[in-house]
Amino acid sequence: MELICPPNVQVSTYIRSRGYSVPTPCGGRGNCGKCTVKVIEGNLKISTMDKIQLTEEELEQGIRLACQAMPGETVKIEL
Ligand code: FES
């Protein structure tokens, strides 16, 4: 499913606030790599933990860790 996320709100927090969920077994510390979402519109900066947890190919596809993601603009993501 797709969700439009506003700027300056952590993506995993926003997902929960809308009544949806992503798995967060590490509690949002960026260590488990399980909370991935895919950016389908807009730009979501690659975080330090994204670089550690995700492959180059995943990053190019727009995959990001929701717990580490704080968009600077409105973005559309896929859960
Ligand atoms: S919740 Fe574990 S990496 Fe995001």
Side-chain angles (χ1 to χ4, degrees):
M1 73 145 293
E2 295 175 357
L3 197 61
I4 294 178
C5 298
N8 305 317
V9 179
Q10 189 190 45
V11 170
S12 57
T13 302
Y14 185 71
I15 291 170
R16 276 196 295 274
S17 79
R18 297 297 308 271
Y20 304 107
S21 67
V22 285
T24 54
C26 76
R29 289 191 296 273
N31 295 326
C32 70
K34 302 287 188 204
C35 63
T36 54
V37 296
K38 182 174 185 174
V39 182
I40 50 178
E41 258 180 55
N43 182 43
L44 194 43
K45 203 164 68 95
I46 296 170
S47 70
T48 305
M49 293 313 285
D50 284 337
K51 287 183 197 157
I52 293 170
Q53 296 291 340
L54 303 172
T55 65
E56 200 59 42
E57 192 181 350
E58 288 172 320
L59 294 173
E60 278 170 24
Q61 290 168 354
I63 308 291
R64 302 287 185 269
L65 298 175
C67 73
Q68 304 293 306
M70 177 78 80
E73 62 185 39
T74 299
V75 294
K76 191 193 273 188
I77 60 164
E78 190 178 274
L79 300 185

